[in-house]
Amino acid sequence: MSEKYLIGVDGSEQSRVALAWGLARATERGATVQLLHVADDSFLSESVAFLSEAQKASEQMLEAEVAYARSLGFTGEISGSAVVGHPIAEVEEASKSADLLILGQHSGTRFAGSFFGTRAVKVAATAHCPVAVIPTVDATPNAGVVVGIDGSEASQRAIAYAAEEASFRGAPLIAVYAWMPPLTPGLEYLWSEELVESQRSAAEEAIAIGVAGLAERYPDLEVRREIIQAPPVAALVQAAEGAQLLVVGSRGRGGISRLLLGSVSHGVLQALPCPVIVTRA
């Protein structure tokens, strides 16, 4: 069965960059595409007339974006859904039947239909499938796929996803481990040769465990290991400048954690050095 990609559209330049990215990926992988436009009813009158006009406008927007998708030369299976409602809730519900949700970078506005920007962080936290957020910057040709490693279950899922992506693209997998020396309140960073060596050993062990088995599964995959002394978000953003893709793991959707994306995932989605995919449990 082919994969299904759900792409959020609103007619903006940022949205269309994400749409083009998603269509290109769908073409490469034989995936079907569903476009989704949500007219945000938070700022609309609850009268039947207003909601009816909002639905009509949403359908017109969707029709225009389907036509735009075809104008890009996409010949695969494409469908669309136009709704009026709360963007986060509507996207979460639609993501239940998708294999990948794709959104564009957006500065965020109060216009109906805009559910990108900071809302992309909330969508990534509540979605039922991996979420890709696409910036307007171009990737460097032959650049790698970057993944963050910290030894957690979330990062293990991210590594598996990133390895498959890198193998499919014929790109190197760049495994990044970031560390900072402990900070004691009221004191400077505590440095010693023993501390540095212990941190490096822990980093090398975490990366070795994280990439274990990849050579057997992807014999032609080049794996590069980078240990960076910097806060995790800064390290990943630096490593992913111009990359084809950056993959980070989420905490999952259990209890209150479904509303908390995590500081690292949140941080890279705010910076967006390249296309970012947040994997799910």
Side-chain angles (χ1 to χ4, degrees), residues 43-66:
F43 314 108
L44 300 176
S45 165
E46 295 184 358
S47 73
V48 174
F50 271 98
L51 295 178
S52 176
E53 285 300 309
Q55 180 64 42
K56 182 179 178 180
S58 184
E59 291 170 356
Q60 290 174 340
M61 172 65 72
L62 179 65
E63 182 179 350
E65 295 310 287
V66 170

PDB file of all heavy atoms in Angstrom, residues 43-66:
ATOM      1  N   PHE A  43     -12.078  33.465  14.623  1.00  0.00           N
ATOM      2  CA  PHE A  43     -12.306  34.895  14.430  1.00  0.00           C
ATOM      3  C   PHE A  43     -13.548  35.159  13.589  1.00  0.00           C
ATOM      4  O   PHE A  43     -13.715  36.237  13.031  1.00  0.00           O
ATOM      5  CB  PHE A  43     -11.072  35.513  13.752  1.00  0.00           C
ATOM      6  CG  PHE A  43      -9.792  35.066  14.371  1.00  0.00           C
ATOM      7  CD1 PHE A  43      -8.965  34.180  13.691  1.00  0.00           C
ATOM      8  CD2 PHE A  43      -9.417  35.488  15.626  1.00  0.00           C
ATOM      9  CE1 PHE A  43      -7.776  33.741  14.263  1.00  0.00           C
ATOM     10  CE2 PHE A  43      -8.242  35.059  16.205  1.00  0.00           C
ATOM     11  CZ  PHE A  43      -7.419  34.187  15.526  1.00  0.00           C
ATOM     12  N   LEU A  44     -14.400  34.150  13.485  1.00  0.00           N
ATOM     13  CA  LEU A  44     -15.600  34.286  12.653  1.00  0.00           C
ATOM     14  C   LEU A  44     -16.854  34.345  13.517  1.00  0.00           C
ATOM     15  O   LEU A  44     -16.892  33.806  14.622  1.00  0.00           O
ATOM     16  CB  LEU A  44     -15.716  33.099  11.688  1.00  0.00           C
ATOM     17  CG  LEU A  44     -14.560  32.893  10.699  1.00  0.00           C
ATOM     18  CD1 LEU A  44     -14.792  31.623   9.895  1.00  0.00           C
ATOM     19  CD2 LEU A  44     -14.447  34.091   9.767  1.00  0.00           C
ATOM     20  N   SER A  45     -17.855  34.975  12.999  1.00  0.00           N
ATOM     21  CA  SER A  45     -19.161  34.958  13.649  1.00  0.00           C
ATOM     22  C   SER A  45     -19.705  33.530  13.585  1.00  0.00           C
ATOM     23  O   SER A  45     -19.421  32.776  12.661  1.00  0.00           O
ATOM     24  CB  SER A  45     -20.116  35.914  12.936  1.00  0.00           C
ATOM     25  OG  SER A  45     -21.453  35.672  13.325  1.00  0.00           O
ATOM     26  N   GLU A  46     -20.474  33.160  14.584  1.00  0.00           N
ATOM     27  CA  GLU A  46     -21.051  31.819  14.601  1.00  0.00           C
ATOM     28  C   GLU A  46     -22.344  31.733  13.800  1.00  0.00           C
ATOM     29  O   GLU A  46     -22.979  30.684  13.778  1.00  0.00           O
ATOM     30  CB  GLU A  46     -21.314  31.385  16.050  1.00  0.00           C
ATOM     31  CG  GLU A  46     -20.039  31.226  16.866  1.00  0.00           C
ATOM     32  CD  GLU A  46     -20.319  30.708  18.271  1.00  0.00           C
ATOM     33  OE1 GLU A  46     -21.515  30.524  18.600  1.00  0.00           O
ATOM     34  OE2 GLU A  46     -19.366  30.497  19.029  1.00  0.00           O
ATOM     35  N   SER A  47     -22.713  32.811  13.144  1.00  0.00           N
ATOM     36  CA  SER A  47     -23.946  32.780  12.358  1.00  0.00           C
ATOM     37  C   SER A  47     -23.785  31.835  11.177  1.00  0.00           C
ATOM     38  O   SER A  47     -22.695  31.631  10.654  1.00  0.00           O
ATOM     39  CB  SER A  47     -24.300  34.185  11.859  1.00  0.00           C
ATOM     40  OG  SER A  47     -23.424  34.570  10.820  1.00  0.00           O
ATOM     41  N   VAL A  48     -24.887  31.271  10.755  1.00  0.00           N
ATOM     42  CA  VAL A  48     -24.874  30.325   9.638  1.00  0.00           C
ATOM     43  C   VAL A  48     -24.327  30.979   8.383  1.00  0.00           C
ATOM     44  O   VAL A  48     -23.568  30.369   7.618  1.00  0.00           O
ATOM     45  CB  VAL A  48     -26.298  29.780   9.389  1.00  0.00           C
ATOM     46  CG1 VAL A  48     -26.314  28.914   8.136  1.00  0.00           C
ATOM     47  CG2 VAL A  48     -26.797  28.995  10.594  1.00  0.00           C
ATOM     48  N   ALA A  49     -24.682  32.238   8.168  1.00  0.00           N
ATOM     49  CA  ALA A  49     -24.239  32.941   6.962  1.00  0.00           C
ATOM     50  C   ALA A  49     -22.722  33.085   6.919  1.00  0.00           C
ATOM     51  O   ALA A  49     -22.080  32.828   5.898  1.00  0.00           O
ATOM     52  CB  ALA A  49     -24.904  34.315   6.892  1.00  0.00           C
ATOM     53  N   PHE A  50     -22.130  33.492   8.046  1.00  0.00           N
ATOM     54  CA  PHE A  50     -20.692  33.655   8.088  1.00  0.00           C
ATOM     55  C   PHE A  50     -19.977  32.322   7.886  1.00  0.00           C
ATOM     56  O   PHE A  50     -18.999  32.234   7.137  1.00  0.00           O
ATOM     57  CB  PHE A  50     -20.262  34.279   9.422  1.00  0.00           C
ATOM     58  CG  PHE A  50     -20.231  35.781   9.410  1.00  0.00           C
ATOM     59  CD1 PHE A  50     -21.290  36.512   9.905  1.00  0.00           C
ATOM     60  CD2 PHE A  50     -19.145  36.464   8.890  1.00  0.00           C
ATOM     61  CE1 PHE A  50     -21.278  37.901   9.893  1.00  0.00           C
ATOM     62  CE2 PHE A  50     -19.109  37.843   8.866  1.00  0.00           C
ATOM     63  CZ  PHE A  50     -20.180  38.566   9.373  1.00  0.00           C
ATOM     64  N   LEU A  51     -20.435  31.292   8.559  1.00  0.00           N
ATOM     65  CA  LEU A  51     -19.797  29.981   8.446  1.00  0.00           C
ATOM     66  C   LEU A  51     -19.942  29.420   7.041  1.00  0.00           C
ATOM     67  O   LEU A  51     -19.044  28.767   6.519  1.00  0.00           O
ATOM     68  CB  LEU A  51     -20.393  29.019   9.479  1.00  0.00           C
ATOM     69  CG  LEU A  51     -20.127  29.375  10.938  1.00  0.00           C
ATOM     70  CD1 LEU A  51     -20.806  28.377  11.864  1.00  0.00           C
ATOM     71  CD2 LEU A  51     -18.627  29.411  11.217  1.00  0.00           C
ATOM     72  N   SER A  52     -21.091  29.685   6.417  1.00  0.00           N
ATOM     73  CA  SER A  52     -21.307  29.228   5.046  1.00  0.00           C
ATOM     74  C   SER A  52     -20.328  29.907   4.086  1.00  0.00           C
ATOM     75  O   SER A  52     -19.757  29.267   3.197  1.00  0.00           O
ATOM     76  CB  SER A  52     -22.746  29.509   4.620  1.00  0.00           C
ATOM     77  OG  SER A  52     -22.950  29.147   3.267  1.00  0.00           O
ATOM     78  N   GLU A  53     -20.123  31.218   4.293  1.00  0.00           N
ATOM     79  CA  GLU A  53     -19.186  31.950   3.439  1.00  0.00           C
ATOM     80  C   GLU A  53     -17.758  31.465   3.684  1.00  0.00           C
ATOM     81  O   GLU A  53     -16.956  31.377   2.745  1.00  0.00           O
ATOM     82  CB  GLU A  53     -19.289  33.445   3.711  1.00  0.00           C
ATOM     83  CG  GLU A  53     -20.525  34.090   3.119  1.00  0.00           C
ATOM     84  CD  GLU A  53     -20.578  33.927   1.612  1.00  0.00           C
ATOM     85  OE1 GLU A  53     -19.570  34.245   0.939  1.00  0.00           O
ATOM     86  OE2 GLU A  53     -21.622  33.473   1.094  1.00  0.00           O
ATOM     87  N   ALA A  54     -17.430  31.167   4.934  1.00  0.00           N
ATOM     88  CA  ALA A  54     -16.096  30.669   5.250  1.00  0.00           C
ATOM     89  C   ALA A  54     -15.845  29.314   4.585  1.00  0.00           C
ATOM     90  O   ALA A  54     -14.756  29.052   4.062  1.00  0.00           O
ATOM     91  CB  ALA A  54     -15.922  30.548   6.762  1.00  0.00           C
ATOM     92  N   GLN A  55     -16.859  28.455   4.603  1.00  0.00           N
ATOM     93  CA  GLN A  55     -16.731  27.149   3.962  1.00  0.00           C
ATOM     94  C   GLN A  55     -16.537  27.317   2.456  1.00  0.00           C
ATOM     95  O   GLN A  55     -15.700  26.638   1.847  1.00  0.00           O
ATOM     96  CB  GLN A  55     -17.971  26.300   4.244  1.00  0.00           C
ATOM     97  CG  GLN A  55     -17.941  24.904   3.617  1.00  0.00           C
ATOM     98  CD  GLN A  55     -16.824  24.039   4.175  1.00  0.00           C
ATOM     99  OE1 GLN A  55     -16.567  24.036   5.368  1.00  0.00           O
ATOM    100  NE2 GLN A  55     -16.148  23.316   3.294  1.00  0.00           N
ATOM    101  N   LYS A  56     -17.290  28.223   1.868  1.00  0.00           N
ATOM    102  CA  LYS A  56     -17.174  28.472   0.429  1.00  0.00           C
ATOM    103  C   LYS A  56     -15.774  28.983   0.086  1.00  0.00           C
ATOM    104  O   LYS A  56     -15.153  28.537  -0.892  1.00  0.00           O
ATOM    105  CB  LYS A  56     -18.230  29.488  -0.003  1.00  0.00           C
ATOM    106  CG  LYS A  56     -18.214  29.785  -1.496  1.00  0.00           C
ATOM    107  CD  LYS A  56     -19.309  30.775  -1.863  1.00  0.00           C
ATOM    108  CE  LYS A  56     -19.283  31.114  -3.357  1.00  0.00           C
ATOM    109  NZ  LYS A  56     -20.354  32.084  -3.708  1.00  0.00           N
ATOM    110  N   ALA A  57     -15.262  29.911   0.904  1.00  0.00           N
ATOM    111  CA  ALA A  57     -13.919  30.452   0.666  1.00  0.00           C
ATOM    112  C   ALA A  57     -12.857  29.379   0.825  1.00  0.00           C
ATOM    113  O   ALA A  57     -11.878  29.329   0.066  1.00  0.00           O
ATOM    114  CB  ALA A  57     -13.649  31.604   1.633  1.00  0.00           C
ATOM    115  N   SER A  58     -13.056  28.503   1.817  1.00  0.00           N
ATOM    116  CA  SER A  58     -12.103  27.411   2.030  1.00  0.00           C
ATOM    117  C   SER A  58     -12.076  26.472   0.843  1.00  0.00           C
ATOM    118  O   SER A  58     -11.012  26.032   0.390  1.00  0.00           O
ATOM    119  CB  SER A  58     -12.476  26.639   3.305  1.00  0.00           C
ATOM    120  OG  SER A  58     -11.524  25.628   3.589  1.00  0.00           O
ATOM    121  N   GLU A  59     -13.234  26.164   0.295  1.00  0.00           N
ATOM    122  CA  GLU A  59     -13.318  25.278  -0.863  1.00  0.00           C
ATOM    123  C   GLU A  59     -12.679  25.914  -2.098  1.00  0.00           C
ATOM    124  O   GLU A  59     -12.018  25.231  -2.892  1.00  0.00           O
ATOM    125  CB  GLU A  59     -14.782  24.926  -1.139  1.00  0.00           C
ATOM    126  CG  GLU A  59     -15.396  24.028  -0.063  1.00  0.00           C
ATOM    127  CD  GLU A  59     -16.894  23.869  -0.204  1.00  0.00           C
ATOM    128  OE1 GLU A  59     -17.476  24.523  -1.109  1.00  0.00           O
ATOM    129  OE2 GLU A  59     -17.501  23.114   0.579  1.00  0.00           O
ATOM    130  N   GLN A  60     -12.852  27.232  -2.248  1.00  0.00           N
ATOM    131  CA  GLN A  60     -12.233  27.926  -3.374  1.00  0.00           C
ATOM    132  C   GLN A  60     -10.710  27.912  -3.236  1.00  0.00           C
ATOM    133  O   GLN A  60      -9.992  27.725  -4.230  1.00  0.00           O
ATOM    134  CB  GLN A  60     -12.752  29.363  -3.446  1.00  0.00           C
ATOM    135  CG  GLN A  60     -14.210  29.469  -3.859  1.00  0.00           C
ATOM    136  CD  GLN A  60     -14.741  30.892  -3.787  1.00  0.00           C
ATOM    137  OE1 GLN A  60     -14.175  31.742  -3.094  1.00  0.00           O
ATOM    138  NE2 GLN A  60     -15.841  31.153  -4.487  1.00  0.00           N
ATOM    139  N   MET A  61     -10.214  28.103  -2.010  1.00  0.00           N
ATOM    140  CA  MET A  61      -8.776  28.046  -1.772  1.00  0.00           C
ATOM    141  C   MET A  61      -8.230  26.662  -2.103  1.00  0.00           C
ATOM    142  O   MET A  61      -7.193  26.522  -2.775  1.00  0.00           O
ATOM    143  CB  MET A  61      -8.470  28.386  -0.309  1.00  0.00           C
ATOM    144  CG  MET A  61      -7.014  28.182   0.108  1.00  0.00           C
ATOM    145  SD  MET A  61      -5.864  29.280  -0.739  1.00  0.00           S
ATOM    146  CE  MET A  61      -6.266  30.835   0.072  1.00  0.00           C
ATOM    147  N   LEU A  62      -8.944  25.634  -1.661  1.00  0.00           N
ATOM    148  CA  LEU A  62      -8.501  24.269  -1.924  1.00  0.00           C
ATOM    149  C   LEU A  62      -8.474  23.981  -3.422  1.00  0.00           C
ATOM    150  O   LEU A  62      -7.515  23.395  -3.942  1.00  0.00           O
ATOM    151  CB  LEU A  62      -9.427  23.283  -1.218  1.00  0.00           C
ATOM    152  CG  LEU A  62      -9.084  21.806  -1.426  1.00  0.00           C
ATOM    153  CD1 LEU A  62      -7.739  21.478  -0.812  1.00  0.00           C
ATOM    154  CD2 LEU A  62     -10.174  20.920  -0.834  1.00  0.00           C
ATOM    155  N   GLU A  63      -9.498  24.418  -4.119  1.00  0.00           N
ATOM    156  CA  GLU A  63      -9.563  24.194  -5.564  1.00  0.00           C
ATOM    157  C   GLU A  63      -8.381  24.853  -6.265  1.00  0.00           C
ATOM    158  O   GLU A  63      -7.775  24.274  -7.177  1.00  0.00           O
ATOM    159  CB  GLU A  63     -10.880  24.754  -6.106  1.00  0.00           C
ATOM    160  CG  GLU A  63     -11.081  24.534  -7.600  1.00  0.00           C
ATOM    161  CD  GLU A  63     -12.408  25.075  -8.097  1.00  0.00           C
ATOM    162  OE1 GLU A  63     -13.256  25.450  -7.256  1.00  0.00           O
ATOM    163  OE2 GLU A  63     -12.598  25.129  -9.322  1.00  0.00           O
ATOM    164  N   ALA A  64      -8.035  26.053  -5.832  1.00  0.00           N
ATOM    165  CA  ALA A  64      -6.910  26.770  -6.430  1.00  0.00           C
ATOM    166  C   ALA A  64      -5.597  26.045  -6.163  1.00  0.00           C
ATOM    167  O   ALA A  64      -4.722  25.969  -7.049  1.00  0.00           O
ATOM    168  CB  ALA A  64      -6.845  28.194  -5.877  1.00  0.00           C
ATOM    169  N   GLU A  65      -5.448  25.482  -4.967  1.00  0.00           N
ATOM    170  CA  GLU A  65      -4.194  24.799  -4.629  1.00  0.00           C
ATOM    171  C   GLU A  65      -4.071  23.445  -5.325  1.00  0.00           C
ATOM    172  O   GLU A  65      -2.972  23.025  -5.674  1.00  0.00           O
ATOM    173  CB  GLU A  65      -4.071  24.649  -3.115  1.00  0.00           C
ATOM    174  CG  GLU A  65      -3.939  25.982  -2.385  1.00  0.00           C
ATOM    175  CD  GLU A  65      -2.860  26.859  -3.000  1.00  0.00           C
ATOM    176  OE1 GLU A  65      -1.666  26.552  -2.825  1.00  0.00           O
ATOM    177  OE2 GLU A  65      -3.218  27.852  -3.664  1.00  0.00           O
ATOM    178  N   VAL A  66      -5.186  22.775  -5.547  1.00  0.00           N
ATOM    179  CA  VAL A  66      -5.150  21.536  -6.330  1.00  0.00           C
ATOM    180  C   VAL A  66      -4.724  21.853  -7.761  1.00  0.00           C
ATOM    181  O   VAL A  66      -3.901  21.150  -8.358  1.00  0.00           O
ATOM    182  CB  VAL A  66      -6.519  20.832  -6.314  1.00  0.00           C
ATOM    183  CG1 VAL A  66      -6.538  19.680  -7.324  1.00  0.00           C
ATOM    184  CG2 VAL A  66      -6.836  20.303  -4.922  1.00  0.00           C
TER     185      VAL A  66
END
